[in-house]
Amino acid sequence: LMNYISSDFFRNFLTLISKEFLERCSMQDREILEKWKTGLSKEQLAKQYKRQYNMQIRNIRAEVRNRYAGRFITQYEALAYVEKTIYKYLKRK
């Protein structure tokens, strides 16, 4: 029983580390807004965001212990994130 609890705890801990790593390394909201202000379209930003995000997932999965960690995102999900970020900025402004 103790091995099961500790391994489950360890798995959750690795998932948290992976999420923090992704938040730190993937394209941040301010980067998205800066590029959008320079004239990039939402589709181009979504393509860049998807590429960076999926590259980070690939790097995390390169380690044996994180082989199944994370999930790749689609173009549609990346576009939804970019649009949400832009609309949030416009609503604040």
Side-chain angles (χ1 to χ4, degrees):
L1 181 63
M2 195 61 180
N3 286 340
Y4 176 74
I5 292 171
S6 61
S7 66
D8 193 35
F9 171 77
F10 189 68
R11 189 177 306 119
N12 290 338
F13 180 71
L14 287 177
T15 305
L16 286 174
I17 290 174
S18 300
K19 288 179 183 177
E20 289 175 7
F21 180 72
L22 277 176
E23 288 173 2
R24 204 173 46 221
C25 295
S26 63
M27 190 183 280
Q28 300 295 319
D29 292 352
R30 60 179 170 72
E31 291 179 65
I32 291 172
L33 292 173
E34 287 172 6
K35 291 180 180 184
W36 177 68
K37 288 176 185 176
T38 60
L40 284 177
S41 69
K42 291 187 294 189
E43 287 79 16
Q44 291 169 329
L45 284 169
K47 189 179 289 187
Q48 288 181 3
Y49 177 74
K50 175 187 167 197
R51 188 179 306 124
Q52 283 186 359
Y53 185 90
N54 287 343
M55 182 62 72
Q56 295 304 321
I57 292 289
R58 229 174 270 122
N59 290 340
I60 290 170
R61 285 184 172 188
E63 298 177 15
V64 174
R65 73 169 79 161
N66 294 326
R67 184 177 303 152
Y68 302 110
R71 183 176 88 72
F72 293 117
I73 61 171
T74 64
Q75 179 75 20
Y76 185 75
E77 291 169 325
L79 183 61
Y81 180 79
V82 168
E83 285 180 341
K84 183 178 76 170
T85 304
I86 292 172
Y87 292 146
K88 197 179 347 176
Y89 167 75
L90 292 174
K91 190 174 179 181
R92 259 188 322 201
K93 189 177 171 184

